Amino acid sequence: MSNLQIEFEKFHKENPEVWDMFVKFTFEVLQTGRRNYSVNAIFERIRWHTDIETNSKPFKLSNNHRAYYARYFHDRYPQYDGFFKTKQLRSVA
């Protein structure tokens, strides 16, 4: 397991509200009929929501976690596998 994946898993465990927002915002996109979308846009939507729309507890959302959230979404919702385009992880290559 790579250091990036270890960092993701720690962050994910300590910040479950990020996963909740990730799923919520992704399903909002899915409801528009899109067949794929950018995980980057979902991350920016989470940042906007927490920074501007709410007074959520502050946290740093690392861009290093994007690929792991996308893959986790595909794992949890296999019917949407491929919704986020992913590349092979360097740690796996």
Side-chain angles (χ1 to χ4, degrees):
M1 187 179 306
S2 74
N3 285 342
L4 289 176
Q5 186 168 357
I6 292 167
E7 290 172 14
F8 161 73
E9 290 181 7
K10 181 179 186 293
F11 178 85
H12 180 62
K13 183 178 180 181
E14 293 174 356
N15 299 279
E17 68 278 8
V18 173
W19 173 245
D20 294 341
M21 287 183 281
F22 189 91
V23 170
K24 178 182 187 274
F25 298 145
T26 299
F27 274 100
E28 286 179 3
V29 174
L30 283 162
Q31 290 174 354
T32 69
R34 287 183 167 84
R35 298 183 67 173
N36 55 47
Y37 202 65
S38 168
V39 70
N40 299 348
I42 300 297
F43 259 47
E44 295 308 321
R45 176 70 176 93
I46 292 169
R47 287 178 174 131
W48 174 269
H49 179 73
T50 57
D51 290 347
I52 306 301
E53 295 177 344
T54 67
N55 290 325
S56 298
K57 74 174 186 175
F59 63 89
K60 174 146 174 50
L61 186 57
S62 172
N63 287 338
N64 292 336
H65 300 327
R66 293 178 299 186
Y68 296 101
Y69 274 105
R71 285 176 174 78
Y72 190 60
F73 183 84
H74 292 158
D75 288 344
R76 295 292 304 268
Y77 301 96
Q79 67 271 35
Y80 300 114
D81 188 32
F83 183 69
F84 297 112
K85 294 185 181 191
T86 58
K87 298 177 184 177
Q88 184 175 13
L89 294 171
R90 291 182 195 158
S91 61
V92 177

